[in-house]
Amino acid sequence: MSAFSKWLVLACGLFGLTAGAYHAYLLASPKKVLVVVDSSYPMGRVWDRVPPVLQSLSGRRYSVFALATDKGLIHGWQPTLDLGPASPYAPRQLTDLWQRLPVDERREAQEVDLITNATPGELPSGGGWTVLRLAP
């Protein structure tokens, strides 16, 4: 066996071991994503677009999700997002959203996404979340 062949076998073996170990690490400690859906009356106009957005977010590998509305928790950490029978109700109140979010999930989440059709002026300040805006 030539020196190049030995090097190639060793390099491929090391790469495979490294990739396998990283894959196992990511499976053991997935990223925690908290998704918050604005469930106020104004969201009724775009409510049919919420499930496809949730489905596209659920496609992320190495992630687990918790789902909440601005009114409360829908489900804790699981591999997919399930909106269930939630529907838009009550007036929009996003100003104190960060204080009303479920405490355990908010603290554990590495990423927080907010799904809303609110204008930028209606959005809460701070929180460090990503706003996924559904245009009317």
Side-chain angles (χ1 to χ4, degrees):
M1 190 184 275
S2 69
F4 176 73
S5 298
K6 290 178 185 178
W7 174 84
L8 185 61
V9 168
L10 180 64
C12 289
L14 286 174
F15 178 76
L17 284 173
T18 304
Y22 190 54
H23 173 71
Y25 167 76
L26 290 174
L27 285 176
S29 58
K31 181 178 186 179
K32 292 186 174 185
V33 180
L34 172 61
V35 178
V36 181
V37 178
D38 175 5
S39 63
S40 61
Y41 287 135
M43 281 290 289
R45 295 187 299 261
V46 294
W47 195 253
D48 60 327
R49 289 192 264 164
V50 172
V53 171
L54 294 177
Q55 186 177 13
S56 70
L57 291 173
S58 292
R60 295 184 192 177
R61 292 181 67 184
Y62 310 118
S63 297
V64 290
F65 304 91
L67 182 63
T69 68
D70 54 327
K71 314 299 190 266
L73 184 67
I74 293 178
H75 65 73
W77 303 115
Q78 63 184 39
T80 59
L81 290 161
D82 181 24
L83 188 58
S87 62
Y89 70 97
R92 179 175 281 151
Q93 185 183 7
L94 297 177
T95 54
D96 63 343
L97 180 61
W98 192 241
Q99 289 79 23
R100 291 185 289 118
L101 285 176
V103 176
D104 291 339
E105 284 77 8
R106 181 184 62 183
R107 186 180 61 246
E108 295 172 7
Q110 295 163 311
E111 178 182 329
V112 180
D113 295 334
L114 172 63
I115 300 173
T116 185
N117 66 345
T119 62
E122 295 175 294
L123 295 175
S125 59
W129 43 50
T130 303
V131 177
L132 305 173
R133 191 165 189 290
L134 301 175

Short mmCIF file of all heavy atoms in Angstrom, two decimals, residues 40-94:
data_model
loop_
_atom_site.label_atom_id
_atom_site.label_comp_id
_atom_site.label_asym_id
_atom_site.label_seq_id
_atom_site.Cartn_x
_atom_site.Cartn_y
_atom_site.Cartn_z
N SER A 40 -54.07 36.72 19.13
CA SER A 40 -55.07 37.77 19.32
C SER A 40 -56.03 37.82 18.13
O SER A 40 -55.80 37.20 17.10
CB SER A 40 -54.36 39.11 19.48
OG SER A 40 -53.61 39.40 18.31
N TYR A 41 -57.12 38.57 18.30
CA TYR A 41 -58.11 38.71 17.22
C TYR A 41 -57.49 39.12 15.88
O TYR A 41 -57.85 38.56 14.85
CB TYR A 41 -59.18 39.73 17.61
CG TYR A 41 -60.15 39.25 18.65
CD1 TYR A 41 -60.49 40.06 19.72
CD2 TYR A 41 -60.73 37.99 18.58
CE1 TYR A 41 -61.39 39.64 20.69
CE2 TYR A 41 -61.63 37.56 19.54
CZ TYR A 41 -61.96 38.39 20.59
OH TYR A 41 -62.83 37.96 21.54
N PRO A 42 -56.56 40.09 15.84
CA PRO A 42 -56.01 40.49 14.54
C PRO A 42 -55.27 39.37 13.81
O PRO A 42 -55.12 39.42 12.59
CB PRO A 42 -55.04 41.63 14.90
CG PRO A 42 -55.54 42.17 16.19
CD PRO A 42 -56.13 41.00 16.91
N MET A 43 -54.84 38.32 14.52
CA MET A 43 -54.17 37.19 13.86
C MET A 43 -55.16 36.32 13.11
O MET A 43 -54.75 35.47 12.30
CB MET A 43 -53.42 36.35 14.89
CG MET A 43 -52.10 36.92 15.33
SD MET A 43 -50.85 36.87 14.03
CE MET A 43 -50.51 35.12 13.95
N GLY A 44 -56.46 36.51 13.32
CA GLY A 44 -57.47 35.71 12.62
C GLY A 44 -57.36 35.82 11.11
O GLY A 44 -57.65 34.86 10.39
N ARG A 45 -56.90 36.96 10.62
CA ARG A 45 -56.75 37.17 9.17
C ARG A 45 -55.67 36.30 8.56
O ARG A 45 -55.71 35.99 7.38
CB ARG A 45 -56.45 38.64 8.89
CG ARG A 45 -57.58 39.58 9.24
CD ARG A 45 -57.27 40.99 8.78
NE ARG A 45 -56.08 41.53 9.42
CZ ARG A 45 -56.08 42.36 10.45
NH1 ARG A 45 -57.22 42.75 10.98
NH2 ARG A 45 -54.95 42.81 10.96
N VAL A 46 -54.66 35.91 9.36
CA VAL A 46 -53.53 35.14 8.83
C VAL A 46 -53.37 33.80 9.56
O VAL A 46 -52.36 33.13 9.41
CB VAL A 46 -52.22 35.95 8.92
CG1 VAL A 46 -52.26 37.15 8.01
CG2 VAL A 46 -51.92 36.34 10.35
N TRP A 47 -54.37 33.40 10.34
CA TRP A 47 -54.25 32.20 11.17
C TRP A 47 -54.01 30.94 10.33
O TRP A 47 -53.32 30.03 10.76
CB TRP A 47 -55.50 32.03 12.04
CG TRP A 47 -55.28 31.05 13.13
CD1 TRP A 47 -55.80 29.79 13.21
CD2 TRP A 47 -54.49 31.22 14.31
NE1 TRP A 47 -55.37 29.18 14.37
CE2 TRP A 47 -54.57 30.04 15.07
CE3 TRP A 47 -53.71 32.27 14.80
CZ2 TRP A 47 -53.91 29.87 16.28
CZ3 TRP A 47 -53.05 32.11 16.01
CH2 TRP A 47 -53.15 30.92 16.73
N ASP A 48 -54.55 30.90 9.12
CA ASP A 48 -54.35 29.73 8.26
C ASP A 48 -52.89 29.58 7.81
O ASP A 48 -52.48 28.50 7.38
CB ASP A 48 -55.27 29.79 7.04
CG ASP A 48 -55.03 31.02 6.19
OD1 ASP A 48 -54.67 32.09 6.75
OD2 ASP A 48 -55.20 30.94 4.96
N ARG A 49 -52.09 30.62 7.96
CA ARG A 49 -50.66 30.54 7.59
C ARG A 49 -49.77 30.12 8.75
O ARG A 49 -48.59 29.86 8.55
CB ARG A 49 -50.19 31.88 7.04
CG ARG A 49 -50.80 32.15 5.67
CD ARG A 49 -50.12 33.30 5.00
NE ARG A 49 -50.94 34.49 5.27
CZ ARG A 49 -50.50 35.72 5.12
NH1 ARG A 49 -49.27 35.94 4.74
NH2 ARG A 49 -51.30 36.73 5.37
N VAL A 50 -50.32 30.04 9.96
CA VAL A 50 -49.50 29.67 11.12
C VAL A 50 -49.06 28.20 11.06
O VAL A 50 -47.87 27.92 11.26
CB VAL A 50 -50.24 30.00 12.44
CG1 VAL A 50 -49.50 29.45 13.63
CG2 VAL A 50 -50.42 31.50 12.58
N PRO A 51 -49.96 27.22 10.79
CA PRO A 51 -49.50 25.83 10.75
C PRO A 51 -48.36 25.55 9.76
O PRO A 51 -47.41 24.85 10.11
CB PRO A 51 -50.77 25.04 10.40
CG PRO A 51 -51.88 25.88 10.95
CD PRO A 51 -51.42 27.31 10.70
N PRO A 52 -48.39 26.11 8.53
CA PRO A 52 -47.25 25.87 7.64
C PRO A 52 -45.93 26.46 8.18
O PRO A 52 -44.87 25.87 8.01
CB PRO A 52 -47.64 26.56 6.33
CG PRO A 52 -49.12 26.64 6.36
CD PRO A 52 -49.48 26.77 7.80
N VAL A 53 -46.01 27.60 8.86
CA VAL A 53 -44.80 28.18 9.46
C VAL A 53 -44.28 27.27 10.56
O VAL A 53 -43.08 27.00 10.64
CB VAL A 53 -45.07 29.61 9.99
CG1 VAL A 53 -43.89 30.11 10.80
CG2 VAL A 53 -45.38 30.56 8.86
N LEU A 54 -45.19 26.76 11.39
CA LEU A 54 -44.78 25.85 12.45
C LEU A 54 -44.18 24.57 11.87
O LEU A 54 -43.19 24.04 12.39
CB LEU A 54 -45.96 25.51 13.36
CG LEU A 54 -46.53 26.66 14.18
CD1 LEU A 54 -47.73 26.19 14.98
CD2 LEU A 54 -45.48 27.27 15.08
N GLN A 55 -44.76 24.07 10.79
CA GLN A 55 -44.24 22.87 10.16
C GLN A 55 -42.84 23.11 9.59
O GLN A 55 -41.96 22.26 9.70
CB GLN A 55 -45.18 22.40 9.05
CG GLN A 55 -44.79 21.08 8.44
CD GLN A 55 -45.79 20.62 7.40
OE1 GLN A 55 -46.66 21.38 6.97
NE2 GLN A 55 -45.68 19.37 7.00
N SER A 56 -42.62 24.27 9.00
CA SER A 56 -41.28 24.56 8.46
C SER A 56 -40.25 24.69 9.57
O SER A 56 -39.11 24.28 9.41
CB SER A 56 -41.30 25.82 7.60
OG SER A 56 -41.49 26.97 8.39
N LEU A 57 -40.65 25.24 10.72
CA LEU A 57 -39.73 25.32 11.85
C LEU A 57 -39.43 23.94 12.41
O LEU A 57 -38.32 23.67 12.86
CB LEU A 57 -40.30 26.21 12.94
CG LEU A 57 -40.40 27.70 12.65
CD1 LEU A 57 -41.15 28.42 13.77
CD2 LEU A 57 -39.02 28.30 12.47
N SER A 58 -40.42 23.05 12.41
CA SER A 58 -40.25 21.70 12.95
C SER A 58 -39.26 20.87 12.15
O SER A 58 -38.80 19.85 12.63
CB SER A 58 -41.59 20.95 12.99
OG SER A 58 -42.45 21.52 13.92
N GLY A 59 -38.95 21.30 10.95
CA GLY A 59 -38.03 20.56 10.10
C GLY A 59 -36.57 20.69 10.50
O GLY A 59 -35.71 20.04 9.91
N ARG A 60 -36.27 21.48 11.49
CA ARG A 60 -34.87 21.67 11.91
C ARG A 60 -34.35 20.40 12.58
O ARG A 60 -34.99 19.84 13.46
CB ARG A 60 -34.75 22.81 12.90
CG ARG A 60 -35.10 24.15 12.36
CD ARG A 60 -34.84 25.19 13.41
NE ARG A 60 -35.40 26.47 13.06
CZ ARG A 60 -35.36 27.52 13.85
NH1 ARG A 60 -34.79 27.44 15.03
NH2 ARG A 60 -35.89 28.65 13.47
N ARG A 61 -33.17 19.99 12.20
CA ARG A 61 -32.54 18.84 12.84
C ARG A 61 -31.89 19.28 14.15
O ARG A 61 -31.53 20.43 14.33
CB ARG A 61 -31.46 18.25 11.94
CG ARG A 61 -32.04 17.61 10.69
CD ARG A 61 -30.98 17.02 9.83
NE ARG A 61 -30.37 15.89 10.53
CZ ARG A 61 -29.34 15.21 10.06
NH1 ARG A 61 -28.81 15.55 8.91
NH2 ARG A 61 -28.84 14.21 10.75
N TYR A 62 -31.75 18.34 15.04
CA TYR A 62 -31.07 18.55 16.32
C TYR A 62 -31.72 19.66 17.15
O TYR A 62 -31.04 20.43 17.80
CB TYR A 62 -29.59 18.86 16.11
CG TYR A 62 -28.88 17.90 15.20
CD1 TYR A 62 -28.31 18.31 14.01
CD2 TYR A 62 -28.79 16.55 15.53
CE1 TYR A 62 -27.65 17.43 13.18
CE2 TYR A 62 -28.14 15.66 14.69
CZ TYR A 62 -27.57 16.10 13.52
OH TYR A 62 -26.92 15.22 12.69
N SER A 63 -33.05 19.74 17.12
CA SER A 63 -33.77 20.76 17.87
C SER A 63 -35.00 20.13 18.53
O SER A 63 -35.60 19.21 17.98
CB SER A 63 -34.23 21.90 16.97
OG SER A 63 -33.14 22.57 16.40
N VAL A 64 -35.37 20.66 19.69
CA VAL A 64 -36.65 20.35 20.32
C VAL A 64 -37.38 21.68 20.52
O VAL A 64 -36.75 22.73 20.63
CB VAL A 64 -36.50 19.59 21.65
CG1 VAL A 64 -35.99 18.18 21.43
CG2 VAL A 64 -35.63 20.33 22.63
N PHE A 65 -38.71 21.61 20.58
CA PHE A 65 -39.51 22.82 20.56
C PHE A 65 -40.51 22.85 21.70
O PHE A 65 -41.07 21.82 22.07
CB PHE A 65 -40.28 22.93 19.24
CG PHE A 65 -39.41 22.86 18.02
CD1 PHE A 65 -39.14 21.66 17.41
CD2 PHE A 65 -38.85 24.01 17.51
CE1 PHE A 65 -38.33 21.59 16.29
CE2 PHE A 65 -38.04 23.96 16.40
CZ PHE A 65 -37.77 22.75 15.79
N ALA A 66 -40.74 24.03 22.23
CA ALA A 66 -41.85 24.30 23.13
C ALA A 66 -42.70 25.35 22.42
O ALA A 66 -42.17 26.23 21.73
CB ALA A 66 -41.37 24.82 24.47
N LEU A 67 -44.01 25.24 22.55
CA LEU A 67 -44.92 26.15 21.87
C LEU A 67 -45.80 26.84 22.89
O LEU A 67 -46.37 26.20 23.77
CB LEU A 67 -45.77 25.39 20.85
CG LEU A 67 -46.75 26.22 20.02
CD1 LEU A 67 -46.01 27.23 19.15
CD2 LEU A 67 -47.60 25.32 19.15
N ALA A 68 -45.91 28.15 22.75
CA ALA A 68 -46.77 28.94 23.63
C ALA A 68 -47.48 29.99 22.78
O ALA A 68 -47.03 30.33 21.68
CB ALA A 68 -45.94 29.63 24.71
N THR A 69 -48.58 30.47 23.30
CA THR A 69 -49.22 31.63 22.70
C THR A 69 -48.97 32.79 23.66
O THR A 69 -48.40 32.60 24.73
CB THR A 69 -50.74 31.43 22.51
OG1 THR A 69 -51.35 31.38 23.79
CG2 THR A 69 -51.04 30.18 21.72
N ASP A 70 -49.41 33.96 23.27
CA ASP A 70 -49.28 35.10 24.18
C ASP A 70 -50.18 34.93 25.39
O ASP A 70 -50.08 35.69 26.34
CB ASP A 70 -49.56 36.41 23.44
CG ASP A 70 -50.90 36.41 22.73
OD1 ASP A 70 -51.33 35.34 22.27
OD2 ASP A 70 -51.52 37.48 22.64
N LYS A 71 -51.06 33.91 25.38
CA LYS A 71 -51.97 33.66 26.50
C LYS A 71 -51.46 32.56 27.44
O LYS A 71 -51.88 32.49 28.58
CB LYS A 71 -53.34 33.24 25.99
CG LYS A 71 -53.91 34.09 24.87
CD LYS A 71 -54.12 35.55 25.23
CE LYS A 71 -54.90 36.27 24.18
NZ LYS A 71 -54.15 36.97 23.18
N GLY A 72 -50.57 31.66 26.97
CA GLY A 72 -50.07 30.59 27.83
C GLY A 72 -49.38 29.49 27.04
O GLY A 72 -49.30 29.52 25.82
N LEU A 73 -48.90 28.49 27.77
CA LEU A 73 -48.15 27.37 27.18
C LEU A 73 -49.09 26.39 26.50
O LEU A 73 -50.13 26.03 27.05
CB LEU A 73 -47.36 26.67 28.29
CG LEU A 73 -46.43 25.55 27.86
CD1 LEU A 73 -45.28 26.09 27.02
CD2 LEU A 73 -45.88 24.83 29.08
N ILE A 74 -48.73 25.93 25.30
CA ILE A 74 -49.48 24.90 24.59
C ILE A 74 -48.84 23.54 24.86
O ILE A 74 -49.51 22.58 25.21
CB ILE A 74 -49.57 25.18 23.08
CG1 ILE A 74 -50.41 26.43 22.85
CG2 ILE A 74 -50.15 23.99 22.34
CD1 ILE A 74 -50.54 26.84 21.41
N HIS A 75 -47.52 23.43 24.66
CA HIS A 75 -46.82 22.19 25.00
C HIS A 75 -45.37 22.49 25.33
O HIS A 75 -44.81 23.49 24.92
CB HIS A 75 -46.94 21.13 23.90
CG HIS A 75 -46.28 21.48 22.60
ND1 HIS A 75 -44.91 21.48 22.43
CD2 HIS A 75 -46.80 21.81 21.39
CE1 HIS A 75 -44.62 21.80 21.18
NE2 HIS A 75 -45.75 22.01 20.54
N GLY A 76 -44.78 21.58 26.10
CA GLY A 76 -43.38 21.70 26.49
C GLY A 76 -42.47 21.14 25.41
O GLY A 76 -42.86 21.01 24.25
N TRP A 77 -41.27 20.75 25.80
CA TRP A 77 -40.24 20.33 24.85
C TRP A 77 -40.63 19.01 24.17
O TRP A 77 -40.87 18.01 24.82
CB TRP A 77 -38.90 20.17 25.55
CG TRP A 77 -38.47 21.42 26.22
CD1 TRP A 77 -38.30 21.62 27.56
CD2 TRP A 77 -38.15 22.67 25.60
NE1 TRP A 77 -37.92 22.91 27.81
CE2 TRP A 77 -37.81 23.58 26.63
CE3 TRP A 77 -38.15 23.13 24.30
CZ2 TRP A 77 -37.46 24.90 26.38
CZ3 TRP A 77 -37.80 24.45 24.05
CH2 TRP A 77 -37.45 25.31 25.08
N GLN A 78 -40.66 19.05 22.84
CA GLN A 78 -40.91 17.86 22.02
C GLN A 78 -40.31 18.09 20.64
O GLN A 78 -39.98 19.23 20.29
CB GLN A 78 -42.41 17.54 21.95
CG GLN A 78 -43.27 18.59 21.29
CD GLN A 78 -44.75 18.22 21.34
OE1 GLN A 78 -45.24 17.69 22.33
NE2 GLN A 78 -45.46 18.49 20.26
N PRO A 79 -40.15 17.03 19.83
CA PRO A 79 -39.46 17.18 18.54
C PRO A 79 -40.22 17.95 17.46
O PRO A 79 -39.62 18.40 16.49
CB PRO A 79 -39.22 15.75 18.07
CG PRO A 79 -39.82 14.85 19.08
CD PRO A 79 -40.41 15.65 20.18
N THR A 80 -41.54 18.09 17.60
CA THR A 80 -42.31 18.82 16.60
C THR A 80 -43.22 19.85 17.28
O THR A 80 -43.48 19.76 18.47
CB THR A 80 -43.20 17.87 15.77
OG1 THR A 80 -44.09 17.19 16.66
CG2 THR A 80 -42.37 16.87 14.98
N LEU A 81 -43.69 20.78 16.49
CA LEU A 81 -44.61 21.81 16.98
C LEU A 81 -46.04 21.41 16.64
O LEU A 81 -46.34 21.09 15.49
CB LEU A 81 -44.29 23.16 16.33
CG LEU A 81 -42.98 23.79 16.79
CD1 LEU A 81 -42.50 24.83 15.80
CD2 LEU A 81 -43.14 24.38 18.17
N ASP A 82 -46.92 21.40 17.63
CA ASP A 82 -48.31 21.01 17.44
C ASP A 82 -49.21 22.10 18.00
O ASP A 82 -49.31 22.26 19.22
CB ASP A 82 -48.57 19.67 18.14
CG ASP A 82 -49.99 19.20 17.96
OD1 ASP A 82 -50.65 19.61 16.98
OD2 ASP A 82 -50.45 18.41 18.81
N LEU A 83 -49.87 22.85 17.13
CA LEU A 83 -50.71 23.97 17.53
C LEU A 83 -51.98 23.49 18.23
O LEU A 83 -52.53 24.20 19.08
CB LEU A 83 -51.06 24.83 16.31
CG LEU A 83 -51.77 26.14 16.56
CD1 LEU A 83 -50.96 27.03 17.49
CD2 LEU A 83 -52.02 26.85 15.25
N GLY A 84 -52.44 22.30 17.90
CA GLY A 84 -53.64 21.76 18.52
C GLY A 84 -54.86 22.60 18.19
O GLY A 84 -54.95 23.20 17.12
N PRO A 85 -55.80 22.71 19.14
CA PRO A 85 -57.04 23.44 18.85
C PRO A 85 -56.95 24.95 19.11
O PRO A 85 -57.97 25.62 19.16
CB PRO A 85 -58.04 22.79 19.81
CG PRO A 85 -57.20 22.41 20.98
CD PRO A 85 -55.87 22.00 20.40
N ALA A 86 -55.77 25.48 19.28
CA ALA A 86 -55.63 26.91 19.57
C ALA A 86 -56.24 27.74 18.44
O ALA A 86 -56.17 27.37 17.27
CB ALA A 86 -54.17 27.27 19.75
N SER A 87 -56.83 28.85 18.82
CA SER A 87 -57.41 29.76 17.83
C SER A 87 -57.28 31.18 18.36
O SER A 87 -57.10 31.40 19.55
CB SER A 87 -58.87 29.40 17.57
OG SER A 87 -59.61 29.54 18.76
N PRO A 88 -57.39 32.17 17.46
CA PRO A 88 -57.25 33.56 17.90
C PRO A 88 -58.42 34.00 18.78
O PRO A 88 -59.57 33.74 18.45
CB PRO A 88 -57.24 34.36 16.60
CG PRO A 88 -57.23 33.39 15.49
CD PRO A 88 -57.53 32.05 16.03
N TYR A 89 -58.10 34.63 19.88
CA TYR A 89 -59.11 35.20 20.75
C TYR A 89 -58.48 36.29 21.60
O TYR A 89 -57.27 36.32 21.78
CB TYR A 89 -59.75 34.13 21.65
CG TYR A 89 -58.84 33.59 22.72
CD1 TYR A 89 -58.87 34.09 24.01
CD2 TYR A 89 -57.94 32.57 22.44
CE1 TYR A 89 -58.02 33.60 24.99
CE2 TYR A 89 -57.09 32.07 23.41
CZ TYR A 89 -57.15 32.58 24.69
OH TYR A 89 -56.31 32.10 25.65
N ALA A 90 -59.29 37.18 22.07
CA ALA A 90 -58.90 38.28 22.96
C ALA A 90 -58.09 39.35 22.23
O ALA A 90 -57.50 39.10 21.18
CB ALA A 90 -58.14 37.77 24.17
N PRO A 91 -58.03 40.52 22.80
CA PRO A 91 -57.27 41.61 22.18
C PRO A 91 -55.77 41.34 22.22
O PRO A 91 -55.29 40.55 23.02
CB PRO A 91 -57.61 42.83 23.04
CG PRO A 91 -58.76 42.44 23.88
CD PRO A 91 -58.78 40.96 23.96
N ARG A 92 -55.06 42.03 21.35
CA ARG A 92 -53.61 41.89 21.31
C ARG A 92 -52.99 42.62 22.48
O ARG A 92 -53.33 43.76 22.77
CB ARG A 92 -53.06 42.47 20.00
CG ARG A 92 -51.55 42.39 19.90
CD ARG A 92 -51.07 42.86 18.55
NE ARG A 92 -51.28 41.78 17.59
CZ ARG A 92 -51.51 41.97 16.30
NH1 ARG A 92 -51.56 43.17 15.81
NH2 ARG A 92 -51.71 40.95 15.50
N GLN A 93 -52.07 41.95 23.18
CA GLN A 93 -51.37 42.55 24.30
C GLN A 93 -49.94 41.99 24.32
O GLN A 93 -49.64 41.05 25.03
CB GLN A 93 -52.09 42.22 25.61
CG GLN A 93 -51.49 42.90 26.81
CD GLN A 93 -52.20 42.47 28.09
OE1 GLN A 93 -53.04 41.60 28.10
NE2 GLN A 93 -51.82 43.11 29.18
N LEU A 94 -49.08 42.58 23.52
CA LEU A 94 -47.72 42.09 23.40
C LEU A 94 -46.72 42.88 24.24
O LEU A 94 -45.56 42.48 24.35
CB LEU A 94 -47.28 42.11 21.93
CG LEU A 94 -48.05 41.22 20.97
CD1 LEU A 94 -47.55 41.41 19.56
CD2 LEU A 94 -47.97 39.78 21.38
#
